[in-house]
């Protein structure tokens, strides 16, 4: 700030007419709001605004605010000083009659009145005698203090005060931002969002100790973002934030999103911490959940693990089942069969609470948001824990779907991706156009990069390794861990129990070849079942009873051609990097289909 | 399957090309019915046309047991062949596919190389 001495020599002239323009000009006129007018502060009054949003534990519970009457010589106008500038008043740098250049200001809309917010200013001179004889603008008629919050002690004439005090939490310095505009570099923002999903409280422990967290998915018209509350904030916010309600959120920390833990499509995510302010919004115009629907037929075009939304009719509701996950936790799951008007059906799996609480009947139209495409037993869908479902949503697509279903859609026969996956080579996982020869696979060095590669091919089995063709496995479904023989049975470490008899599962290592080359593939139980036509247990029994016959069966499995989908990935064995080819699907050839494909190929332009 | 040594596989439309050819042809098709006295049978050729097959008199047996068969024989007229040998082909055969193979085998592009 330049010294008063030099300033007293400068004749101070205020930006006349600016008050009128600020009050009634175009609120989106950037040049207006970026102009740096010189104004005189006719009076500064402190206003005690307590945060009435009822947020316990919010540390900024009482903030002083200063209301300033700004004058341009012609008119005077109400304005508020941004809280970050409070120190100017407290340190006596601005006071009554100070003239300053407003370097940064913005405009707040409350109902349909405007309030100018002074965000940045440069004092030109303090204590200048009042310039001009300004007349009042923007002083609304005195209103009864109908505010729900505590009436703040306001002494000035501006009756806009009760209006302000009634929504003190609205006196953020900023207008409402769209979610897409949030960045870590700017924290004077406020968003108006709907909670579309709230997770359960989860416990975690890492090197630094233990903790709790829960997260919410927030959405507005522009996009969505995830917000997480940790430890003590969990207690404060878990009850306050309810699904499907709309809130104003500001002063949360914007961090880079940890994509591993979230499937929300935003590069950033919010940390709801001590300084965050959350206030419920009761406006009528609130952001509605936006969907990006893919129809069931279009699922084929999506990659494995892609996340999408679907709008479907539930045709069949499975029972609630308990299964054990990899981490030895029990989880509930429920399978639904869903269909839509592209005449396709699919399986959709619900997990945990969503599975437990599902109580819609079949034939209801449901919109699922946040569904992952997976290839477990053919194409199927899985509702993510961060996803949500809305039964009979009030959107035009849902009405159209329901209309189709009632009109006879229910009776059509549906094609299922699942079947396509299991039939021999009729689409599904065998991508005929992308079939490769073995030499091609080797030369293209598939699997050499960090990510596994997938490919399809047709080859004939040349040789199956017969030593170590199976292992004793835990018979608990989904477990499959190798069990050790102990004095009281076969013990599984994972399930922590012993079984009387193990289930023998195959580990197949075999050499396959086509007209170009030969490679080794590895496969598991399913592959063995297909090769030999019998389960591991049966083959083992046969080996014990009639070894010759068992050998014959194994030998007979060679020289058969199959269609394969394989996965090539790198593994290191004792410091050596090797590519291993694992079999995902092995399908016997349906000559009819294969021959037809060949015939088509001969007729295609390739053969001309 | 070349012309000068074996018997080419034909469908009903091509039968007439081999009238008086000296070597037999083969027709793969579906047995429709036998005549009452078993002197001939009617079969459907891969292109849908009907062909009459003259069967040998006893004590020779014709050997037709399955629904789909391939008959090797000489051409009598544009829609009749005389049975020499029969190969049974089971109960499930995609005749459309067979027809495609036949047509492709006569395609000049593939004739010498593939067939």
């Amino acid at each position: 700030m330049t010294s008063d001495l030099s300033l007293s020599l400068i004749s101070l002239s205020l930006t006349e007419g600016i008050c009128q323009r600020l009050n009634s000009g175009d609120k989106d006129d950037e040049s207006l709001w970026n102009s740096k007018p010189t104004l005189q502060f006719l009076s500064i009054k402190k206003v005690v605004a307590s945060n009435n949003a009822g947020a316990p534990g919010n540390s900024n519970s009482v903030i002083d605010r200063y209301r300033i009457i700004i004058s341009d010589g012609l008119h005077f106008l109400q304005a508020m000083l941004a809280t970050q500038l409070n120190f100017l008043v407290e340190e006596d740098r601005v006071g009554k009659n100070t003239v300053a250049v407003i370097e940064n200001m913005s405009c707040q809309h409350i109902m349909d009145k405007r309030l100018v917010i002074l965000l940045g200013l440069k004092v030109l001179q303090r204590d200048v005698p009042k310039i001009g004889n300004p007349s009042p603008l923007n002083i609304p008629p005195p209103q009864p203090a109908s505010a729900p919050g505590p009436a703040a002690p306001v002494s000035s004439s501006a009756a806009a005060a009760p209006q302000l005090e009634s929504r003190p939490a609205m006196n953020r310095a900023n207008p409402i931002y769209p979610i897409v505009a949030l960045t870590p570099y700017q924290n004077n923002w406020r968003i108006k969002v709907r909670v579309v999903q709230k997770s359960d409280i989860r416990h975690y422990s890492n090197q630094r100790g233990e903790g709790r967290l829960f997260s919410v998915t927030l959405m507005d018209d522009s996009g969505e973002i995830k917000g997480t509350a940790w430890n003590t904030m969990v207690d404060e916010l878990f009850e306050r934030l309810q699904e499907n309600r709309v809130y104003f959120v500001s002063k949360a920390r914007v961090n880079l999103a940890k994509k591993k833990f979230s499937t929300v499509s935003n590069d950033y995510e919010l940390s709801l911490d001590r300084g965050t302010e959350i206030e419920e919004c009761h406006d009528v115009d609130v952001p509605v959940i936006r969907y990006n629907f893919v129809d069931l037929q279009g699922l084929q075009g999506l990659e494995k693990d892609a996340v999408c939304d679907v709008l479907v009719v539930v045709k069949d509701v499975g029972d609630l089942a308990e299964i054990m996950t990899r981490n030895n936790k029990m989880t509930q799951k429920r399978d639904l069969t869903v269909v839509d008007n592209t005449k396709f059906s699919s399986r959709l799996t619900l997990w945990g609470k969503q599975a437990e609480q599902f109580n819609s009947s079949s034939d209801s139209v449901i919109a699922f948001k946040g569904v992952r495409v997976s290839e477990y037993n053919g194409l199927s869908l899985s509702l993510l824990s961060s996803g949500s479902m809305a039964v009979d949503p009030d959107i035009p697509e849902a009405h159209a779907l329901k209309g189709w279903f009632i009109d006879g859609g229910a009776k059509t026969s549906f094609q299922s991706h699942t079947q396509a996956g299991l039939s021999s080579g009729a689409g599904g996982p065998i991508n005929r156009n992308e079939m490769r020869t073995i030499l091609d696979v080797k030369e293209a060095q598939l699997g050499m990069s960090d990510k596994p590669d997938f490919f399809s091919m047709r080859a004939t089995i040349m040789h199956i390794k017969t030593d170590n063709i199976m292992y004793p496995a835990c018979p608990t479904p989904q477990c499959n861990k190798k069990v050790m023989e102990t004095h009281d049975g076969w013990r599984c470490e994972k399930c922590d129990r012993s079984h009387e008899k193990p289930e023998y599962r195959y580990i197949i290592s075999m050499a396959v070849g086509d007209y170009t080359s030969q490679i080794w593939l590895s496969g598991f139980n399913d592959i063995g079942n297909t090769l030999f036509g019998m389960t591991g247990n049966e083959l083992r029994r046969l080996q014990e009873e009639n070894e010759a016959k068992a050998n014959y069966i194994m030998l007979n499995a060679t020289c058969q051609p199959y269609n394969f989908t394989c996965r090539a990935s790198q593994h290191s064995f004792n410091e050596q990097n090797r590519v291993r080819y694992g079999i995902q699907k092995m399908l016997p050839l349906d000559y009819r289909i294969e021959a037809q494909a060949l015939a088509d190929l001969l007729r295609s332009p390739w053969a001309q | 399957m070349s012309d000068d040594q074996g018997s080419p596989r034909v469908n009903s439309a091509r039968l007439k090309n081999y009238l008086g050819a000296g070597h037999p042809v083969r027709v793969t098709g579906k047995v429709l019915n036998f005549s009452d006295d078993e002197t001939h049978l009617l079969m459907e050729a891969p292109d849908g046309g009907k062909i009459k097959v003259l069967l040998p008199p006893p004590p020779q047996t014709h050997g037709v047991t399955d629904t789909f068969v391939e008959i090797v024989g000489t051409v009598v007229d544009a829609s009749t062949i005389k049975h020499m040998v029969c190969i049974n082909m089971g109960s499930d055969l995609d005749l459309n596919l067979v027809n495609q193979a036949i047509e492709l085998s006569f395609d000049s592009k593939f004739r010498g190389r593939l067939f």
Side-chain angles (χ1 to χ4, degrees), chain A residues 210-325:
Chain A
E210 291 191 329
R212 295 169 297 145
L213 67 97
F214 82 99
S215 66
V216 286
T217 306
L218 306 172
M219 176 186 278
D220 70 7
D221 293 325
S222 74
E224 49 181 20
I225 192 167
K226 179 171 136 139
T228 312
W230 303 84
N231 299 316
T232 43
M233 290 310 287
V234 168
D235 298 321
E236 290 164 15
L237 294 179
F238 193 71
E239 295 306 316
R240 279 189 67 204
L241 290 175
Q242 299 290 337
E243 273 191 16
N244 246 330
R245 299 252 188 100
V246 182
Y247 300 90
F248 291 106
V249 180
S250 58
K251 298 201 179 158
R253 250 181 318 140
V254 183
N255 302 118
L256 282 176
K258 299 189 242 351
K259 292 280 175 161
K260 255 188 12 160
F261 295 111
S262 166
T263 48
V264 169
S265 55
N266 197 317
D267 292 332
Y268 300 112
E269 58 184 29
L270 301 177
S271 289
L272 311 172
D273 52 21
R274 304 222 117 256
T276 306
E277 291 171 1
I278 299 184
E279 189 199 342
E280 188 160 353
C281 167
H282 300 287
D283 278 357
V284 178
D285 97 53
V286 282
V288 176
I289 298 190
R290 269 167 34 262
Y291 291 100
N292 201 0
F293 291 126
V294 178
D295 52 46
L296 292 183
Q297 185 172 27
L299 282 185
Q300 276 181 308
L302 290 179
E303 285 182 353
K304 184 160 129 44
D305 286 344
V307 177
C308 64
D309 309 329
V310 290
L311 177 66
V312 290
V313 181
V314 174
K315 204 140 185 356
D316 183 60
V317 180
D319 292 325
L320 193 57
E322 281 224 350
I323 65 164
M324 184 176 287
T325 70

Side-chain angles (χ1 to χ4, degrees), chain A residues 5-69:
Chain A
L5 250 187
S6 54
L7 274 181
S8 58
L9 302 175
I10 303 172
S11 67
L12 298 166
S13 58
L14 305 177
T15 313
E16 292 193 341
I18 191 78
C19 280
Q20 177 103 39
R21 290 181 64 205
L22 289 173
N23 192 39
S24 40
D26 183 9
K27 63 177 159 57
D28 289 337
D29 181 359
E30 291 216 346
S31 63
L32 172 61
W33 295 95
N34 288 344
S35 69
K36 297 183 194 209
T38 310
L39 297 171
Q40 181 170 37
F41 301 156
L42 295 184
S43 85
I44 302 184
K45 290 275 188 306
K46 173 155 48 169
V47 160
V48 176
S50 64
N51 192 332
N52 76 339
N58 190 329
S59 59
N60 297 343
S61 48
V62 175
I63 326 161
D64 289 350
R65 303 221 54 177
Y66 291 95
R67 199 180 63 252
I68 302 187
I69 309 267

Side-chain angles (χ1 to χ4, degrees), chain A residues 177-184 186 189-191 225 254 266 268 270:
Chain A
Y177 271 47
I179 281 185
V180 291
L182 290 175
T183 74
Q186 227 253 26
W189 50 262
R190 192 158 64 101
I191 52 177
I225 192 167
V254 183
N266 197 317
Y268 300 112
L270 301 177

Side-chain angles (χ1 to χ4, degrees), chain A residues 591-600 602-603 607-608, chain B residues 92-94 96-97 100-101 103-104 107 109-110 114-115:
Chain A
Y591 286 96
R592 174 179 303 204
I593 298 184
E594 302 291 332
Q596 185 66 55
L598 285 174
D600 291 336
L602 284 176
R603 274 193 281 263
Q608 302 307 320
Chain B
D92 184 16
L93 192 61
D94 187 345
N96 185 10
L97 203 47
Q100 289 184 46
E103 292 301 321
L104 281 170
D107 189 333
K109 287 190 290 292
F110 307 122
L114 290 181
F115 297 97

Side-chain angles (χ1 to χ4, degrees), chain A residues 336-360:
Chain A
L336 310 174
T337 309
V338 297
V339 302
D340 73 354
N341 51 0
T342 55
K343 306 244 182 83
F344 265 82
S345 81
S346 175
R347 192 176 61 223
L348 196 148
T349 310
L350 303 174
W351 301 89
K353 271 245 173 54
Q354 289 153 335
E356 266 181 297
Q357 292 171 352
F358 187 81
N359 61 356
S360 306

